């Protein structure tokens, strides 16, 4: 409450005229008390008469200027007008007025005191109302500031949302641009891959035409060379095998069994699938063997022999007497290329002599051209030298000629694992197909007790 009164005093002193402050503040002794200065100090006269005398003395000593009347105040009695004659001086009139005011009756003093108190109360009421109005205005300003702050906060939130939307829009645009760039790059890569394959296909066709123009090629060797060269451009296996080889190109599968080169005949398809999978994964196992410091020659030769056994069972001649048309030469790590070639030539020569002897027609006439019951077969050879497999053929009807190298497979090249596996399978499938073509001429071998499921 004291703080409120002090605030009121400050406003009153600042807003009210000097004359009113002189008129409303009574004489008193200075004090350091914080009490409201409108409260009468202890040194002021307490009686009404004494206060009236003091007030008259104050007004006479400090005359005030007339102030406009407040319509809310009580009406005062109009003072008698002082008429100045030509003979009177200003000092005389002032003296007379002061004497009259000093000699006022007690009743007039009491009325004046009541009027002063009423004025003071009215001024206090006005100041309280003004202060309350200021408080209301201050509150309104605060509320307006809070409203502005809320509006600013809403605007900030809206701007943040707009910025986020813009960022999302730009990020979506960037994602779309990146996606379009990736699609364009993928399309370009496909185009380049297609062009490269077309160029490769043209080169292969040129090589095939050159081989066909060479009369030294055996027909079966030329057919096998063409299949090896085009093994990634034409159908190879039945469509039923696609579920077991999901990563192979769709062009390798066909519904026409006559167009397939790798297939099953007498055994279930799953056995052929399993055997082919072993050849396709051979390159991976070779690299694993090398990583631990091993020698893969024996492992590679064993896998080839396993596929040969499957081909014999699948061809249905595993229990018949026949002379094989294929040979596998596994070179030692320290063996030279010359010794490997000599070993292969020796194997090929032996097989050729065996076929000549079995097919020769003996007529007893010397010096005549030898005749055979059927054409001498083409011999197939697979040479395993470290991490490479060399595919060769030899015409048994021409024992003095050299073997032709069809392809050299590098099992350390992981990009060629599938095609290397198919190439090995082609050599053995070609030998199987020939034996199957003469199966009716073969005799049963009652000495063999091999388990078909082995």
């Amino acid at each position: 409450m004291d703080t409120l009164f002090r605030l009121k005093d400050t406003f009153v002193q600042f807003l009210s005229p000097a004359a009113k402050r002189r008129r409303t503040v009574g004489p008193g002794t200075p004090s350091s008390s914080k009490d409201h200065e409108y409260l009468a100090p202890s040194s002021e006269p307490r009686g009404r008469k004494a206060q009236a005398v003091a007030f008259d003395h104050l007004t006479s000593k400090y005359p005030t200027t007339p102030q406009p009347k407040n319509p809310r105040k009580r009406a005062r009695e109009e003072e008698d007008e002082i008429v100045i004659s030509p003979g009177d001086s200003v000092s005389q009139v002032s003296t007379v007025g002061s004497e009259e005011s000093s000699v006022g009756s007690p009743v007039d003093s009491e009325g004046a005191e009541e009027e002063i108190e009423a004025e003071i109360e009215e001024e206090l009421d006005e100041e309280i109302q003004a202060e309350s109005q200021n408080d209301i205005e201050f509150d309104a300003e605060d509320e307006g500031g809070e409203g502005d702050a809320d509006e600013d906060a809403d605007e900030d939130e809206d701007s943040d949302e707009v910025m986020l939307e813009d960022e999302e829009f730009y990020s979506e645009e960037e994602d779309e641009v990146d996606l379009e760039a990736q699609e364009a790059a993928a399309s370009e890569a496909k185009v380049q891959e297609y062009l490269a394959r077309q160029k490769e296909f043209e080169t292969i066709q040129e090589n095939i035409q050159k081989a066909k123009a060479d009369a030294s090629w055996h027909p079966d060797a030329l057919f096998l060379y063409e299949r090896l060269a085009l093994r990634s451009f034409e159908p190879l296996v039945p469509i039923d095998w696609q579920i077991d080889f999901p990563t192979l190109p769709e062009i390798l599968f066909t519904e026409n069994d006559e167009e397939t080169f790798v297939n099953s005949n007498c055994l279930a398809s799953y056995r052929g699938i399993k055997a082919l999978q072993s050849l396709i994964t051979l390159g991976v196992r070779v690299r694993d063997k090398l990583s631990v410091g091993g020698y893969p020659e024996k492992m590679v030769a064993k896998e080839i022999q396993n596929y040969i056994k499957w081909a014999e069972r699948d061809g249905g001649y595993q229990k018949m007497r026949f002379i094989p048309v294929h040979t596998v030469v596994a070179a030692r790590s320290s063996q030279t290329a010359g010794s490997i070639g000599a070993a292969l030539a020796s194997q090929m020569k032996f097989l050729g002599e065996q076929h000549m002897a079995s097919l020769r027609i003996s007529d007893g006439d010397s010096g005549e051209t030898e005749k055979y019951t059927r054409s001498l077969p083409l011999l197939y050879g697979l040479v395993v030298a470290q991490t490479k497999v060399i595919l060769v053929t030899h015409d048994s009807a021409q024992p003095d000629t050299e073997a032709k190298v069809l392809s050299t497979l590098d099992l350390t090249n992981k990009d060629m694992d599938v095609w290397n596996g198919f190439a090995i399978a082609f050599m053995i499938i070609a030998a199987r197909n020939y034996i199957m073509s003469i199966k009716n001429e073969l005799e049963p071998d009652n000495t063999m007790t091999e388990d078909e499921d082995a």
Side-chain angles (χ1 to χ4, degrees):
M1 192 67 182
D2 294 338
T3 304
L4 181 62
F5 278 117
R6 285 196 298 273
L7 182 61
K8 292 177 181 178
D9 295 341
T10 303
F11 279 103
V12 169
Q13 291 176 2
F14 181 75
L15 298 176
S16 63
K20 183 180 291 186
R21 291 199 297 271
R22 287 198 302 271
R23 181 169 58 84
T24 56
V25 178
T29 58
S31 176
S32 60
S33 175
K34 296 182 180 180
D35 295 334
H36 197 275
E37 60 184 3
Y38 284 118
L39 298 178
S42 59
S43 61
E44 290 186 1
R46 299 295 181 180
R48 291 185 177 181
K49 293 182 179 181
Q51 288 181 358
V53 172
F55 180 75
D56 293 337
H57 177 72
L58 181 63
T59 55
S60 64
K61 189 175 180 179
Y62 303 100
T64 60
T65 58
Q67 300 292 330
K69 293 182 180 181
N70 190 345
R72 296 177 60 185
K73 295 181 181 179
R74 250 180 349 178
R76 295 184 180 180
E77 294 179 358
E78 299 293 335
E79 297 181 353
D80 296 336
E81 295 183 356
I82 299 174
V83 180
I84 301 175
S85 63
D88 295 334
S89 64
V90 176
S91 60
Q92 290 176 351
V93 176
S94 301
T95 305
V96 171
S98 60
E99 288 177 355
E100 290 178 356
S101 61
S102 61
V103 183
S105 62
V107 177
D108 295 336
S109 299
E110 292 177 358
E113 182 179 357
E114 292 177 356
E115 290 178 358
I116 291 170
E117 291 179 356
E119 290 177 359
I120 292 173
E121 291 178 357
E122 290 178 357
E123 290 177 357
L124 287 174
D125 294 337
E126 291 176 358
E127 292 174 359
I128 291 172
Q129 292 178 358
E131 185 177 357
S132 62
Q133 183 67 27
N134 291 333
D135 293 338
I136 293 172
E137 293 177 357
F138 291 154
D139 294 338
E141 290 179 358
D142 293 338
E143 292 178 357
E146 292 178 357
D148 294 339
D150 294 338
E151 292 178 358
D152 294 338
D154 294 337
E155 292 178 357
D156 293 338
E157 291 178 357
D158 295 338
S159 62
D160 293 339
E161 292 178 357
V162 172
M163 291 176 64
L164 290 175
E165 291 177 356
D166 293 339
E167 291 178 357
E168 292 177 356
F169 177 74
Y170 290 134
S171 62
E172 290 178 357
E173 285 188 346
E174 291 176 357
D175 294 339
E176 291 179 358
V177 171
D178 294 340
L179 183 59
E180 291 177 356
Q182 292 177 1
E183 291 178 353
S187 300
E188 182 66 21
K190 289 181 179 180
V191 171
Q192 295 298 328
E193 182 182 359
Y194 175 78
L195 295 176
R197 283 183 62 82
Q198 288 296 321
K199 186 176 180 180
E200 181 183 0
F201 181 77
E202 293 176 359
T203 303
I204 291 172
Q205 289 292 345
E206 291 177 0
N207 295 333
I208 292 173
Q209 294 300 324
K210 291 179 181 180
K212 289 181 178 180
D214 188 357
S216 63
W217 280 84
H218 190 281
D220 293 341
L222 185 60
F223 175 79
L224 182 59
Y225 173 75
E226 187 174 2
R227 298 285 75 75
L228 288 172
L230 297 175
R231 63 184 181 272
S232 62
F233 294 92
E234 60 184 10
L236 300 177
V237 293
I239 190 66
D240 297 339
W241 292 19
Q242 188 174 13
I243 191 173
D244 298 289
F245 299 97
T247 59
L248 295 183
E250 293 185 1
I251 194 174
L252 301 182
F253 302 94
T254 179
E255 296 180 356
N256 188 358
D257 294 337
E258 295 180 358
E259 295 179 358
T260 61
F261 191 68
V262 180
N263 48 33
S264 297
N265 290 280
C266 300
L267 298 180
S269 297
Y270 79 91
R271 294 185 182 273
I273 293 172
K274 185 177 179 181
L276 182 60
Q277 287 174 342
S278 298
L279 290 181
I280 290 176
T281 59
L282 182 58
V284 178
R285 285 174 285 164
V286 167
R287 292 190 293 273
D288 291 341
K289 193 79 170 181
L290 293 174
S291 65
V292 296
Y295 299 97
E297 292 88 346
K298 291 183 178 179
M299 181 183 67
V300 174
K302 183 179 179 181
E303 286 297 332
I304 294 174
Q305 292 293 345
N306 290 337
Y307 199 78
I308 290 173
K309 291 179 180 179
W310 167 82
E312 292 177 355
R313 293 196 299 272
D314 186 68
Y317 54 87
Q318 78 278 13
K319 293 185 177 181
M320 295 183 179
R321 292 182 178 181
F322 65 93
I323 301 172
V325 294
H326 58 266
T327 182
V328 179
V329 178
R332 296 185 299 271
S333 300
S334 59
Q335 195 170 357
T336 62
S339 62
I340 295 173
L344 178 63
S346 176
Q347 292 286 341
M348 291 290 189
K349 184 179 180 181
F350 175 76
L351 287 177
E353 292 176 352
Q354 293 293 321
H355 282 284
M356 286 181 180
S358 64
L359 298 176
R360 183 183 294 116
I361 300 174
S362 177
D363 54 359
D365 296 334
S366 60
E368 295 182 0
T369 304
E370 294 181 350
K371 297 180 180 180
Y372 302 97
T373 56
R374 61 176 182 271
S375 299
L376 294 175
L378 180 70
L379 304 180
Y380 305 91
L382 296 91
V383 181
V384 180
Q386 296 182 357
T387 60
K388 292 181 173 56
V389 178
I390 304 171
L391 309 180
V392 299
T393 60
H394 179 66
D395 187 1
S396 59
Q398 301 177 359
D400 297 334
T401 59
E402 294 182 356
K404 286 186 176 294
V405 178
L406 301 181
S407 180
T408 301
L409 312 178
D410 185 5
L411 299 181
T412 60
N413 187 356
K414 63 180 181 180
D415 294 333
M416 295 296 293
D417 284 344
V418 173
W419 312 120
N420 290 340
F422 273 109
I424 296 172
F426 283 5
M427 294 290 290
I428 299 171
I429 291 294
R432 181 202 67 177
N433 292 343
Y434 174 78
I435 300 298
M436 288 179 62
S437 65
I438 62 171
K439 185 170 64 173
N440 296 331
E441 302 175 9
L442 301 179
E443 297 178 358
D445 188 0
N446 297 323
T447 62
M448 298 184 64
T449 60
E450 181 183 1
D451 186 7
E452 295 183 0
D453 296 332

